Amino acid sequence: MTTALLGSKFLYACLYIALFACVCGTIFRMARWFFITTGPVAGAPSPVRRGLAVLKGAASLLSLKIFGFLHALLVGIPFQTGILRTGFSRWAMHICIFWGFILLLLMHALDELVTKKIFSDYFSTLDPYQFLRNLFGVMVLAGVCMAVYRRIRHRGPMLETRRADRFAIALLSVIIITGFAMESAKMISESVFNRMMNDFFAGESAGDEEALKAYWSEEYGTSFRTRHYTVNPTLLARGRAVNEQSCASCHSPARSAFVSRPLAKLMRPSAARLEEAGADNILYYIHVLACLLGLAMLPFTKFFHVISDPIAILVSSITDKKNTGRFAALPRRAMELDACTSCGTCSRHCSVEPVYRMMGNRHILPMEKLRDVRALSAKKEVPEDIRSISEGAFICTSCFRCTEVCPAGINLQDQWNASRELLSEKGHPSPHEWIKDFRASEWSDLMLKHESSWKEIDTIKGKYYNLTDDSDVFAPCIQCQTCTNVCPVVAARTDPEEAVDITPQKIMNLLRLGLNNLAMGSRMVWDCTTCYQCQEHCPQGIRVTEIIYELKNRAYDHFKNIDRTLRQADVHEDGEKSRQTEERK
Amino acid sequence: MALPKSHNYDPAHVFDVMVIGSGIAGMAASLFAVDRKLSTVQAGSAGGTLFTSGLLDLISVYPIEEKKMWADPWEAIAALRNDESLHPYARISNDEIQSAFDEIISFLNSRGMKFRCERNRNLKIITSMGTVKYSYCVPESMWHGVEALEKRAPCCIVDFRGLKEFSARQIAATLHETWPDIRPFRVPFPGMEQRNEVHAAHLARALELSETRIALASEIKPAIGDARYVGFPAVLGIRRTPVIQAHLEKILGLPVFEIPMMPASVPGFRLKEIFDTELPLKGLLRLIDKRVDSVTRAENGNFLLNIGGEEQPQLIKARTVILASGRFMGKGLLSDRKGIYEPLFNLPLSQPSGRHAWHHEQFLNPAGHPINSAGVEVDDSFRPVDGTGRVIHENLYAAGSILAHQDWMRMKSGSGVAISTAYAAVNAIMRVIMDRSIRDTA
Amino acid sequence: MKAMKFAFFKGCKIPYYLEQYETSTRAVLKPFGVRLVDLEFNCCGYPNRDIHFESFVFSAARNLAIAEKKRLDILTPCKCCYGTLKYAQHFLKENEHLRGDINKELAREGLAWRGKIAVKHILTVLCDDIGLPAIYASIRSPLGNLSIAPHYGCHALRPSDIVHFDDPLAPSIFEDLISATGAKPVEWPRRLDCCGNPLWVKNRGISLSLMRAKITDAAESGADCLCTACTYCQIQFDAIQNAEMSEDSRITPMPSVLYTQLLGLSMGLPERVLGMKRNHIQCDKMPRA
Ligand code: SF4
Ligand code: SF4
Ligand code: SF4
Ligand code: SF4
């Protein structure tokens, strides 16, 4: 029977190969969830630990959490409420593709296994099945069209179309279009008609066959190469009667195939050539092979999200967004990396999206951040753009909004926490941390050595404000120390490293002496708590806090591209020491 | 609620007085004005009163050339009047001066910063340099220092590692001849042990917490020995100084005192805090960090003062103005190549004839320099006048160091001139208002 | 009373770190006929000001423009958001070049900053827009016996010429509002100081020592409880104090409540909206909601 299902040993073999690939691939992908480490590498637990933690997490289902779980299972996933929250058009698109495809799969592809078992009267060419097949196909196709439209209309960093997306769209289109085309090709095919005739039709009286042909030609669009009759109403009426008697039990009227029938009409002029080429067969092969290709590649394409997303959604339904278990979080994060469909929802709603627009660093956007997480966890070596990645990772307000909107239920917030830890571990922490790598004087020396890394910036600096280079701003300082006296940070310094004794008032003095470079890397500038006490109290009305802000901005711009792996020893023009470092390397 | 908020006032309101300046003179003028229920607005920089040592001097040196020190300030003032000096004190009676001090002091006392004075004599007090100076009125927190100095009692003077402006050892060395029983003692300040530079204001704030005081006392105790007093740099809190002092005296078992430091000093902060927080409660509209850019006069004589800058003019209307903007540091006076000028009202000034005459030949001339006595000339109501003695605007007054014919720094009369001239100016305004209202009701 | 309507600017932290601030704010404003409208705002811009001025201004400007499009004034319960939006407004007003560029970027999504709307902090709305008499009239169970130390918070107060919140050296709005609840405002030396939160992830040592000084001071001044009106200050004094200082034997924990909670309590609002139990450190002297 299964042979009949596919009608060919070859396809039958392909099916098993594809199934095998799919199962193995899926197992492989899922197993990886327990081995990939996102977040800090040091002290990462063993795969077994992670596995146990997951089981323990699953055990928590035996509590009130079950209701949340069931809700996700019975409402969230089938009705895709997660996507609905992100916008109606996207939801409509996705629900079309999702339900269209699922129903085609169940009703049509697995008809022998599913539909027939449920509806004993199932026959693919009967209504409502014929109609529904067309309907589902149209749903998928409409969804795909919407997807293409959206991707063109909203293209940009929020919705980027990559290879994986193109492949998925193309494959879906191929499957559905070949499906329709095949149905149409069958309709117009004389040989198919003849085969059916031979198999199922025993003409009772002469002329029945002609009448039936005339009727089919008219009703179903079947194209007969040679015609031995003239079409007239009587013939058609007879044809209809014959059809009623012999065929209608298996063939609903063609009108319900509301896509295939018009398509058949279109194809009719070239029916002969199609017939000759065995189009229906070719289309059939393409159709099935495309399906099998999709099946085989499922674990390695975007289609994998049909497995990973429901899992991610279910997991998120039973876990606390803020307190993720230490061990269970690891496989979860790895799983979530597979669940992201790059839909861009998170990026569109991200609280710091405007920062991205001004700074232009795409790693600020959560969708990109997640990609970075994947890249960092996959590779041993440090990516080239690690500094931009780190910049992006730390420009985030931990607002949970991306986590909130992600239709796949990914706990992005946890991903960010982990990836920031990892980046710190790799030596690329937040600016406030790496600025401490060197002392102010060392930064100033480093700047001299790395002029190229910031020279460009200097041409655009002070586009809007230029407080730190404009002596009118700080020259009125009378060095009265009021700013220092009211500064809580100066008062609170205890760590001797921090107490390098640069105070707000001394910063003003450094500016007066033109030693801006020295001020930029000072602890005072980076430890300023922005309380504006100094500015409020300065008897000369100097905008001390704003000057400090600008120094921070400038310092960041100037220092961020300097290679910090140079250790202190290299900072100074000390040949011997740098040679030693060379050797160490 | 009815109190004016500094950024939230009715622009149509006509104030009785606008005080320009936020030094001692400006603050005193504002206090006197609000005490007399005048609707008052004050503009000036945020830090005016910071630049005082906390001592309220009346006068102790006259004439400057002789550097003659007076134990009795009133005798000095009498001598000054006798010489027909044009000094502002010659325009105010002793009673008025005393009342001005009384009013200020009772205000400060009631707000937790107590002062002591002995009406007919200057008090002797040691400074952070180890010198001894006269002052008329000293903060209560320094009083035991006056006693100790008088008795030459055995005394331990504490200083803190990293506090640059104050060295107990230097004080002991300087005073050695006259007061041998001083023991300097240096301790790290609790909680700031690691630091090689500490700031007086931060120490003061830290001492507001009792745990710091306890830690400090335990550092000091071993060094006390037979000392009868313990002296500190003036860092005993910006607020709550009496509490802090009493607490330290209790745990140390000895009277303690503060030694004044150079401005901007902690007592300066105390004064600033009190003026900043208490005057608005009395109804003063305080425009912090607002400078008056320009002034015009309405037809009825009222002043229209722009505090918003050229682009966004913001006008204050006032019936009278007290100009207490100080000399060069307060930007009350400016100088260019031609000489010095008063930027706001362009008042005629008493000044040396040319830049070359600003200073005497020797820079350290004990008599000071002519430029140190330059300023605005006034009549007996403290209204600026021109060279012929004609009043410039009948509703414009001047007070404090902007006045001519006084070298407050060398005469040690800064606070006294500021307070008493502010008092005189406000009273003159009151007299005009009273006259007018009597006229109006008659 | 005339109906008031504001765009409600929550900021990034309230929804997940301080939900009680949102619920209590809504609850205390409701009886006064204040309607809060939710718009999709982005980060106020503060966190990025350290490293990139333009993106701070643009973030804030976008928020302002979103509210402006709806012709709504902004009400925010967070002082850092308040300050940041005000600073940005100031820079946009002052600097034509900046304004031009920012508006160009805003125009791409049909927005514009024209400076037509006001930014208000909840305390200002309570004290000035609703007014103390109405507040007094709404009190059902005055909180006698409680000594409350108001913590002013830096970014609402300074620099005063930009934020226009209250007198920067002698503010009184918070004390006035606390008195209305029947509690006693405590006078304490460090009331205008920084809570330390801005340095929390940048320099933990200093951040904690700023907080410790304030807590000790409040305790010595006889406060039963601190009172904040800012998301970050509250997080610092509540969650962070609880997590970081509980081992410090030198200090007994000093509870901190949000002003909206305090007011709600005296208005007799239920725990469900006030969320007192969500605070990490409980104040024993506080009556139960
Ligand atoms: S993380 Fe979620 S919201 Fe963001 S792109 Fe991936 S699936 Fe979409
Ligand atoms: S948590 Fe970070 S990445 Fe996510 S929306 Fe907020 S700011 Fe954007
Ligand atoms: S307070 Fe102002 S004038 Fe005084 S040192 Fe600081 S910046 Fe200079
Ligand atoms: S703004 Fe910064 S420099 Fe100024 S007083 Fe505050 S912490 Fe100190």
Side-chain angles (χ1 to χ4, degrees):
Chain A
M1 192 185 74
T2 13
T3 333
L5 177 76
L6 290 167
S8 126
K9 284 233 163 67
F10 168 67
L11 289 180
Y12 186 58
C14 284
L15 168 70
Y16 274 99
I17 293 171
L19 259 178
F20 181 73
C22 175
V23 169
C24 290
T26 305
I27 292 175
F28 171 74
R29 291 285 304 249
M30 287 174 129
R32 263 167 46 112
W33 297 344
F34 294 90
F35 290 89
I36 287 182
T37 298
T38 60
V41 180
S46 71
V48 178
R49 274 270 222 356
R50 302 178 197 186
L52 289 175
V54 168
L55 288 179
K56 216 172 114 200
S60 75
L61 268 179
L62 302 171
S63 69
L64 284 181
K65 282 184 182 168
I66 189 78
F67 292 107
F69 184 83
L70 288 176
H71 183 267
L73 190 66
L74 301 177
V75 180
I77 295 173
F79 296 101
Q80 320 220 311
T81 47
I83 302 179
L84 182 57
R85 268 185 290 133
T86 72
F88 181 77
S89 75
R90 205 173 91 81
W91 176 78
M93 168 210 98
H94 199 266
I95 211 98
C96 278
I97 299 182
F98 176 74
W99 276 114
F101 202 88
I102 291 284
L103 291 171
L104 276 179
L105 177 75
L106 296 176
M107 185 201 81
H108 164 65
L110 301 179
D111 51 2
E112 302 280 336
L113 300 177
V114 180
T115 330
K116 266 202 183 144
K117 301 267 159 66
I118 306 176
F119 304 100
S120 48
D121 65 341
Y122 173 80
F123 212 83
S124 68
T125 46
L126 269 183
D127 275 339
Y129 310 104
Q130 173 171 287
F131 165 74
L132 286 176
R133 193 168 57 246
N134 273 263
L135 178 70
F136 298 153
V138 165
M139 274 169 70
V140 176
L141 218 46
V144 166
C145 290
M146 279 192 261
V148 171
Y149 170 75
R150 284 179 34 128
R151 283 180 181 276
I152 293 171
R153 174 78 218 281
H154 301 296
R155 70 181 177 280
M158 306 295 155
L159 187 61
E160 231 179 318
T161 307
R162 302 190 184 213
R163 244 204 336 255
D165 306 303
R166 288 207 193 93
F167 176 78
I169 288 178
L171 195 68
L172 273 182
S173 318
V174 167
I175 291 175
I176 302 300
I177 291 172
T178 53
F180 277 127
M182 181 182 73
E183 195 173 23
S184 309
K186 273 187 174 166
M187 279 183 187
I188 58 171
S189 161
E190 185 176 359
S191 54
V192 172
F193 180 87
N194 288 341
R195 196 171 65 229
M196 299 297 274
M197 282 264 287
N198 291 340
D199 288 355
F200 298 106
F201 183 72
E204 273 163 31
S205 55
D208 274 2
E209 192 177 327
E210 265 66 44
L212 192 62
K213 276 187 174 173
Y215 181 75
W216 271 68
S217 163
E218 204 57 21
E219 174 69 27
Y220 293 91
T222 315
S223 157
F224 297 100
R225 232 165 301 176
T226 45
R227 259 200 265 160
H228 309 289
Y229 53 87
T230 38
V231 180
N232 56 41
T234 347
L235 187 67
L236 281 180
R238 186 163 163 211
R240 177 176 302 131
V242 176
N243 185 57
E244 280 298 314
Q245 199 180 30
S246 315
C247 316
S249 60
C250 292
H251 286 275
S252 291
R255 266 163 313 170
S256 67
F258 61 95
V259 177
S260 311
R261 174 72 180 86
L263 187 63
K265 233 184 208 154
L266 279 179
M267 285 160 69
R268 217 167 135 171
S270 35
R273 251 170 298 138
L274 290 173
E275 182 78 68
E276 228 164 87
D280 64 318
N281 238 332
I282 295 176
L283 286 168
Y284 179 67
Y285 266 81
I286 299 179
H287 182 67
V288 174
L289 283 175
C291 290
L292 294 182
L293 182 67
L295 179 67
M297 290 186 64
L298 181 136
F300 305 100
T301 54
K302 200 175 172 184
F303 295 121
F304 191 57
H305 82 269
V306 301
I307 296 175
S308 55
D309 273 25
I311 295 179
I313 292 171
L314 292 174
V315 168
S316 102
S317 75
I318 56 166
T319 46
D320 183 343
K321 288 198 180 69
K322 260 167 96 178
N323 305 311
T324 50
R326 198 164 92 75
F327 300 138
L330 273 146
R332 175 178 181 183
R333 286 200 298 264
M335 175 268 289
E336 289 172 339
L337 291 180
D338 290 342
C340 173
T341 57
S342 300
C343 68
T345 309
C346 49
S347 293
R348 276 196 306 282
H349 293 273
C350 173
S351 292
V352 294
E353 186 266 345
V355 176
Y356 157 74
R357 277 160 67 183
M358 293 318 267
M359 292 185 76
N361 177 356
R362 45 190 303 148
H363 301 283
I364 292 170
L365 296 173
M367 186 170 96
E368 200 68 30
K369 277 190 177 109
L370 198 64
R371 229 178 279 239
D372 297 334
V373 171
R374 196 178 297 139
L376 284 172
S377 67
K379 283 191 220 108
K380 276 270 172 322
E381 73 270 23
V382 179
E384 221 172 281
D385 50 355
I386 182 85
R387 285 193 219 134
S388 312
I389 291 180
S390 162
E391 176 178 79
F394 285 96
I395 296 178
C396 164
T397 65
S398 297
C399 68
F400 275 94
R401 198 179 297 165
C402 46
T403 305
E404 190 79 358
V405 297
C406 173
I410 299 175
N411 187 343
L412 291 163
Q413 189 59 59
D414 186 48
Q415 298 277 2
W416 309 155
N417 296 344
S419 92
R420 275 175 253 174
E421 270 185 62
L422 173 65
L423 284 162
S424 304
E425 193 182 77
K426 284 192 192 281
H428 294 275
S430 73
H432 288 84
E433 286 299 324
W434 60 249
I435 213 88
K436 290 183 196 153
D437 285 359
F438 301 105
R439 284 199 298 267
S441 57
E442 293 167 336
W443 276 121
S444 156
D445 292 347
L446 272 171
M447 268 182 62
L448 291 179
K449 285 185 81 178
H450 292 78
E451 247 175 50
S452 57
S453 61
W454 51 266
K455 256 279 137 70
E456 234 171 89
I457 301 159
D458 271 9
T459 56
I460 53 154
K461 78 176 179 186
K463 205 164 153 204
Y464 305 109
Y465 285 97
N466 198 2
L467 306 174
T468 49
D469 281 326
D470 177 357
S471 70
D472 282 352
V473 173
F474 50 79
C477 170
I478 50 170
Q479 290 289 300
C480 68
Q481 293 218 21
T482 304
C483 47
T484 301
N485 279 326
V486 296
C487 175
V489 167
V490 178
R493 282 173 177 165
T494 46
D495 182 345
E497 277 294 304
E498 283 163 358
V500 279
D501 298 332
I502 286 192
T503 59
Q505 157 243 344
K506 284 186 186 158
I507 288 175
M508 297 308 125
N509 206 21
L510 287 177
L511 296 184
R512 294 205 301 192
L513 298 171
L515 296 173
N516 298 28
N517 293 358
L518 212 52
M520 288 193 314
S522 69
R523 297 295 328 133
M524 185 65 238
V525 164
W526 287 88
D527 284 342
C528 167
T529 178
T530 70
C531 69
Y532 279 99
Q533 292 273 21
C534 46
Q535 185 160 329
E536 187 72 53
H537 283 93
C538 172
Q540 295 295 92
I542 292 171
R543 295 149 76 181
V544 188
T545 312
E546 268 150 38
I547 288 174
I548 289 178
Y549 264 127
E550 190 176 289
L551 282 170
K552 260 184 282 196
N553 276 206
R554 299 256 164 108
Y556 184 70
D557 274 349
H558 283 88
F559 300 166
K560 72 175 175 186
N561 291 323
I562 292 178
D563 185 1
R564 297 192 306 272
T565 52
L566 298 166
R567 287 286 81 220
Q568 237 137 290
D570 309 329
V571 176
H572 307 291
E573 306 271 312
D574 192 333
E576 165 103 270
K577 278 184 185 161
S578 34
R579 214 175 327 118
Q580 282 174 0
T581 340
E582 282 300 328
E583 279 161 19
R584 244 184 292 139
K585 280 179 194 159
Chain B
M1 253 324 80
L3 299 173
K5 290 274 169 67
S6 57
H7 294 289
N8 182 10
Y9 66 92
D10 176 9
H13 181 74
V14 183
F15 289 91
D16 293 327
V17 188
M18 169 145 199
V19 178
I20 302 175
S22 58
I24 296 277
M27 287 300 186
S30 303
L31 171 69
F32 297 141
V34 291
D35 272 352
R36 282 155 188 71
K37 305 281 181 285
L38 298 176
S39 83
T40 311
V41 52
Q42 182 202 29
S45 83
T49 42
L50 277 177
F51 303 99
T52 78
S53 60
L55 303 171
L56 300 182
D57 298 337
L58 181 49
I59 184 168
S60 56
V61 178
Y62 181 81
I64 299 170
E65 295 79 1
E66 294 165 27
K67 277 197 161 180
K68 184 167 177 195
M69 305 258 284
W70 298 77
D72 181 344
W74 308 107
E75 280 177 14
I77 292 174
L80 170 153
R81 289 189 187 128
N82 217 20
D83 295 349
E84 288 178 30
S85 160
L86 293 167
H87 192 282
Y89 282 159
R91 301 184 189 275
I92 324 171
S93 72
N94 287 2
D95 283 349
E96 276 184 296
I97 297 176
Q98 187 60 52
S99 322
F101 267 87
D102 289 346
E103 192 169 335
I104 277 270
I105 286 167
S106 86
F107 167 72
L108 292 172
N109 280 354
S110 71
R111 300 303 192 275
M113 184 172 183
K114 294 228 161 65
F115 276 85
R116 282 231 198 172
C117 69
E118 295 215 334
R119 292 194 171 250
N120 55 6
R121 72 168 180 118
N122 276 323
L123 303 168
K124 264 188 176 175
I125 187 160
I126 56 171
T127 69
S128 56
M129 319 293 284
T131 54
V132 173
K133 74 164 271 185
Y134 277 122
S135 182
Y136 183 59
C137 204
V138 304
E140 179 79 37
S141 59
M142 300 180 184
W143 179 252
H144 291 308
V146 176
E147 278 176 6
L149 173 62
E150 211 166 71
K151 297 188 217 156
R152 304 286 190 269
C155 180
C156 172
I157 293 185
V158 176
D159 70 3
F160 300 110
R161 203 156 70 207
L163 183 62
K164 296 232 166 97
E165 312 92 330
F166 188 94
S167 159
R169 205 163 301 149
Q170 188 195 338
I171 293 175
T174 317
L175 287 172
H176 182 72
E177 302 270 296
T178 51
W179 189 359
D181 225 352
I182 293 187
R183 185 172 324 126
F185 185 54
R186 174 161 297 188
V187 294
F189 193 85
M192 302 189 191
E193 292 86 353
Q194 312 288 347
R195 317 259 298 264
N196 40 28
E197 187 176 334
V198 295
H199 301 269
H202 300 153
L203 307 187
R205 306 215 61 199
L207 281 170
E208 286 165 359
L209 302 179
S210 59
E211 57 182 33
T212 319
R213 305 197 283 268
I214 293 168
L216 177 60
S218 67
E219 290 270 0
I220 298 172
K221 262 204 170 135
I224 291 180
D226 60 350
R228 306 279 309 287
Y229 290 88
V230 181
F232 289 97
V235 296
L236 302 187
I238 289 173
R239 289 157 184 257
R240 302 194 173 156
T241 307
V243 176
I244 296 167
Q245 189 181 6
H247 187 207
L248 279 174
E249 289 183 343
K250 195 175 142 216
I251 41 185
L252 288 172
L254 285 178
V256 307
F257 62 89
E258 288 187 317
I259 297 164
M261 294 172 60
M262 299 293 281
S265 71
V266 169
F269 269 95
R270 283 176 207 149
L271 280 175
K272 177 174 149 54
E273 284 273 353
I274 293 177
F275 284 125
D276 285 345
T277 56
E278 299 295 331
L279 289 184
L281 297 179
K282 281 174 161 265
L284 175 72
L285 172 60
R286 178 133 156 63
L287 302 168
I288 294 144
D289 241 346
K290 291 274 185 202
R291 277 185 185 283
V292 179
D293 279 326
S294 56
V295 186
T296 48
R297 246 173 138 225
E299 255 164 47
N300 59 4
N302 286 354
F303 287 108
L304 298 174
L305 301 109
N306 180 12
I307 55 161
E310 264 169 47
E311 276 128 53
Q312 290 174 296
Q314 192 186 341
L315 293 181
I316 298 264
K317 298 190 185 119
R319 294 195 179 86
T320 58
V321 166
I322 298 179
L323 187 63
S325 46
R327 280 189 183 154
F328 301 103
M329 204 171 100
K331 301 215 179 91
L333 300 180
L334 300 176
S335 64
D336 59 15
R337 256 176 299 118
K338 279 178 267 146
I340 57 174
Y341 62 99
E342 190 285 310
L344 205 50
F345 295 86
N346 207 9
L347 298 174
L349 299 177
S350 152
Q351 60 174 307
S353 50
R355 200 156 184 143
H356 59 276
W358 282 17
H359 299 101
H360 290 300
E361 314 268 282
Q362 310 130 278
F363 184 66
L364 289 174
N365 191 311
H369 304 275
I371 192 72
N372 301 132
S373 292
V376 175
E377 289 193 278
V378 289
D379 67 0
D380 283 351
S381 297
F382 287 88
R383 290 178 298 185
V385 295
D386 63 13
T388 65
R390 204 170 47 87
V391 170
I392 313 259
H393 301 300
E394 85 288 346
N395 53 350
L396 173 66
Y397 299 79
S401 60
I402 197 171
L403 299 175
H405 309 298
Q406 48 92 16
D407 186 349
W408 58 271
M409 222 182 286
R410 285 176 188 74
M411 287 175 163
K412 308 288 174 210
S413 64
S415 320
V417 168
I419 293 168
S420 51
T421 56
Y423 186 77
V426 172
N427 283 341
I429 291 172
M430 274 310 277
R431 276 197 298 277
V432 174
I433 290 179
M434 299 296 274
D435 280 357
R436 197 179 292 151
S437 67
I438 290 167
R439 241 198 348 255
D440 288 353
T441 46
Chain C
M1 185 170 301
K2 78 173 199 312
M4 280 178 269
K5 207 164 135 189
F6 293 99
F8 187 47
F9 192 92
K10 278 185 256 205
C12 286
K13 292 285 181 200
I14 285 181
Y16 269 85
Y17 303 84
L18 205 61
E19 287 155 83
Q20 63 269 45
Y21 204 7
E22 177 170 359
T23 53
S24 58
T25 298
R26 288 183 188 279
V28 298
L29 288 178
K30 205 166 154 209
F32 300 110
V34 178
R35 264 193 59 203
L36 297 179
V37 179
D38 283 301
L39 300 176
E40 186 170 336
F41 291 116
N42 47 259
C43 164
C44 67
Y46 173 76
N48 222 45
R49 191 170 173 196
D50 272 356
I51 61 169
H52 199 246
F53 175 79
E54 286 92 322
S55 58
F56 135 65
V57 179
F58 180 64
S59 300
R62 188 169 177 276
N63 292 321
L64 294 166
I66 287 173
E68 199 171 312
K69 197 170 186 183
K70 297 265 184 238
R71 300 220 175 84
L72 288 173
D73 286 347
I74 285 179
L75 181 152
T76 174
C78 173
K79 286 184 173 164
C80 294
C81 298
Y82 171 81
T84 305
L85 294 176
K86 288 288 243 187
Y87 305 151
Q89 236 172 1
H90 163 81
F91 291 126
L92 287 166
K93 232 178 235 155
E94 177 186 78
N95 193 321
E96 202 183 316
H97 181 185
L98 177 69
R99 179 169 65 237
D101 286 1
I102 295 285
N103 269 333
K104 216 176 285 163
E105 184 64 34
L106 284 174
R108 296 190 7 186
E109 44 180 334
L111 294 170
W113 180 88
R114 293 196 191 82
K116 289 266 179 331
I117 57 149
V119 176
K120 293 191 175 181
H121 184 257
I122 172 114
L123 292 188
T124 317
V125 169
L126 286 168
C127 191
D128 295 351
D129 297 48
I130 293 170
L132 284 177
I135 307 263
Y136 270 97
S138 73
I139 305 297
R140 299 282 162 275
S141 39
L143 309 170
N145 280 333
L146 263 184
S147 296
I148 303 283
H151 163 76
Y152 266 91
C154 302
H155 295 133
L157 208 54
R158 293 179 292 263
S160 54
D161 51 345
I162 292 176
V163 292
H164 296 189
F165 180 72
D166 197 350
D167 187 323
L169 306 173
S172 59
I173 178 171
F174 215 153
E175 280 83 358
D176 293 342
L177 283 166
I178 287 175
S179 301
T181 67
K184 189 172 129 270
V186 172
E187 152 78 38
W188 57 309
R190 281 172 166 73
R191 70 179 181 139
L192 306 185
D193 285 16
C194 174
C195 66
N197 190 271
L199 288 179
W200 172 238
V201 287
K202 300 169 188 170
N203 189 327
R204 205 155 282 204
I206 294 182
S207 173
L208 288 177
S209 103
L210 296 183
M211 166 162 62
R212 212 177 76 76
K214 288 208 73 148
I215 289 167
T216 318
D217 182 10
E220 278 191 22
S221 306
D224 300 319
C225 187
L226 289 170
C227 187
T228 63
C230 167
T231 314
Y232 291 91
C233 303
Q234 179 66 11
I235 289 175
Q236 179 84 350
F237 286 127
D238 192 39
I240 294 180
Q241 184 191 172
N242 186 49
E244 296 294 317
M245 314 265 259
S246 47
E247 270 126 61
D248 189 338
S249 59
R250 287 172 299 177
I251 40 176
T252 31
M254 167 62 69
S256 173
V257 290
L258 291 157
Y259 180 71
T260 47
Q261 292 180 317
L262 197 71
L263 178 60
L265 213 52
S266 64
M267 289 165 72
L269 299 178
E271 162 68 22
R272 181 173 46 81
V273 289
L274 298 183
M276 301 294 289
K277 295 216 180 79
R278 282 177 175 271
N279 293 0
H280 292 85
I281 305 172
Q282 296 297 327
C283 177
D284 300 333
K285 284 184 80 181
M286 196 79 64
R288 301 275 156 257

